[in-house]
Amino acid sequence: MEMEKPLRERLVDIGVELVTTEGSAPVGLREIARRAGVSHGAPRRYFPTHQALLSAIAQRGFEDLGARCVAAIADSASPRAQLRAVARVYVGYALEHRGMFELMFRHDLLDSVANGDGERHLRKATLPLFERVVALVAQCQAESNTAHRPGTTHGTVPTRVAVPTPTVTAAALWANLHGIAQLWAWGSLQLAIGASPPDDTDGTPDDDLLEPLITAVLTAHLGTGA
């Protein structure tokens, strides 16, 4: 017989389900307690504030997104192909799980203190995925420098332009992808590129629309490449 999960995990599970199906608005301590079949004061043993509960739920979102990215790059050989895979997952997750994605990037949560059990700040939950992107950007930049170093091409070597650090490039790339997801969710991007109006779709762009956008982002920040 499968053992029942500890109450704290059950409460977070219920919160995740609520955010996924109904958005973050109805996710309160009392409603989660009701669905868990416990007293309305029981959740406060683990989450002294509503903010602490939402932070724990958002943490699950980052874990889910990170796991999806790891799975997506498993079959991609080159760093650029891995970045493309991560970009697809990021935008796709943002549009398919809007409630959770919005919760993950709530500024009031990102600036909150750690939960009572010592759990790290929610802000830090973004670091593993971002650090992976930084590492992939660094590999792409290294490969580009090797391919275009002086002496490998004929003719005059062009004046070299200072290349942003991998961290800065990764941050700009992340911001670009986040903007694509947000503008698409608002319906603004569809209007700009002549795609179907938001009311005529499920909100998620198909590959014919998503791929050119991702290609443009990678090209803008990394130059042309395979």
Side-chain angles (χ1 to χ4, degrees), residues 101-122:
F101 194 77
E102 178 183 351
L103 184 65
M104 288 159 61
F105 291 97
R106 284 267 302 274
H107 289 287
D108 57 330
L109 296 180
L110 295 176
D111 293 335
S112 67
V113 297
N115 291 340
D117 60 1
E119 185 174 315
R120 65 185 181 177
H121 296 178
L122 182 60

Side-chain angles (χ1 to χ4, degrees), residues 19 46 59 69 74 78-79 102 105 113 120 122 127-128 140 157 160 164 173 176 182 200 219-220:
V19 170
Y46 309 97
Q59 175 74 34
C69 288
S78 71
E102 178 183 351
F105 291 97
V113 297
R120 65 185 181 177
L122 182 60
L127 293 180
C140 288
V157 177
R160 296 187 63 81
L173 194 154
N176 209 159
Q182 190 62 72
D200 295 343
T219 300

Side-chain angles (χ1 to χ4, degrees), residues 27-151:
V27 183
L29 293 171
R30 284 179 175 269
E31 176 60 18
I32 287 181
R34 185 187 70 77
R35 297 195 181 203
V38 298
S39 68
H40 65 78
R44 293 195 179 276
R45 287 182 288 170
Y46 309 97
F47 307 106
T49 65
H50 184 217
Q51 188 180 63
L53 171 61
L54 292 178
S55 293
I57 295 169
Q59 175 74 34
R60 286 281 191 86
F62 280 113
E63 292 170 358
D64 184 23
L65 176 59
R68 289 168 185 251
C69 288
V70 170
I73 67 176
D75 297 326
S76 300
S78 71
R80 193 182 185 99
Q82 292 182 39
L83 278 175
R84 182 180 292 275
V86 169
R88 288 195 195 104
V89 169
Y90 190 87
V91 176
Y93 186 90
L95 296 174
E96 293 167 18
H97 304 275
R98 292 186 187 180
M100 179 62 80
F101 194 77
E102 178 183 351
L103 184 65
M104 288 159 61
F105 291 97
R106 284 267 302 274
H107 289 287
D108 57 330
L109 296 180
L110 295 176
D111 293 335
S112 67
V113 297
N115 291 340
D117 60 1
E119 185 174 315
R120 65 185 181 177
H121 296 178
L122 182 60
R123 183 191 301 275
K124 295 181 180 178
T126 64
L127 293 180
L129 178 57
F130 181 66
E131 289 168 353
R132 181 181 297 274
V133 172
V134 171
L136 291 172
V137 167
Q139 293 177 52
C140 288
Q141 289 181 343
E143 290 183 358
S144 178
N145 289 339
T146 298
H148 298 93
R149 67 181 183 273

